[in-house]
Amino acid sequence: SDLVNAVRAWSNGADYRVIASTQGVFSVLTAADSEVTGPASWPEPPRTLATGLLEESIINYTAERMLQAVDLDPGRIDIVPTTQIPVRLEMLNAGELEAAVLPEPATRLATAAGAHEITSTEVLDWTPGVLLATGRALRNKAAELTALLEAYDRAVELYRDYEPTGD
């Protein structure tokens, strides 16, 4: 999740606790049939992109910072509220959205289907993700959560060391 949604859920009575920050990668992508295929073709006013995103979310804030980091105008985004990431991915792939903000591995699925990655959180010094657990899990499954965090750290190391072979 992200910290804002975690705090909102907690303030609404959900028994969630942040147990780790994550360094997940989010990307701004355009649909395969979009004429916006990279930063050089980012739209000029008054044109905007119908973009799958959430208003008042940390991901929206992050999308704006990603675009600004590569000198693109975040005002060119026309937010189409899409809560569920799988729905956002499907809508982008179907051309129902011209753009979307997606995390990995949804970004890889989208680009494999022809979407264009415009920028990602790799241009920033931070990412907004957090890992949550319920209070019950913290009380009853501490060893399992420790193992999960160790496995997560190992997966991050493997990802960083990964070099595609082209096969």
Side-chain angles (χ1 to χ4, degrees), residues 36 44 54 56 69 71 73 77 113 162-163:
V36 180
E44 295 293 326
L54 288 176
E56 300 178 14
D71 296 322
D73 181 4
I77 290 177
Y162 174 74
E163 294 183 32

Side-chain angles (χ1 to χ4, degrees), residues 62-87:
T62 303
E64 290 177 357
R65 299 297 81 75
M66 284 187 278
L67 293 169
Q68 289 171 338
V70 293
D71 296 322
L72 299 177
D73 181 4
R76 303 297 88 222
I77 290 177
D78 181 19
I79 296 175
V80 176
T82 44
T83 306
Q84 300 296 321
I85 290 168
V87 172

Side-chain angles (χ1 to χ4, degrees), residues 132-152:
L132 303 176
T134 63
R136 186 171 124 191
L138 286 168
R139 288 186 300 278
N140 299 332
K141 298 186 177 196
E144 290 88 342
L145 288 173
T146 299
L148 172 71
L149 291 172
E150 289 170 356
Y152 182 89

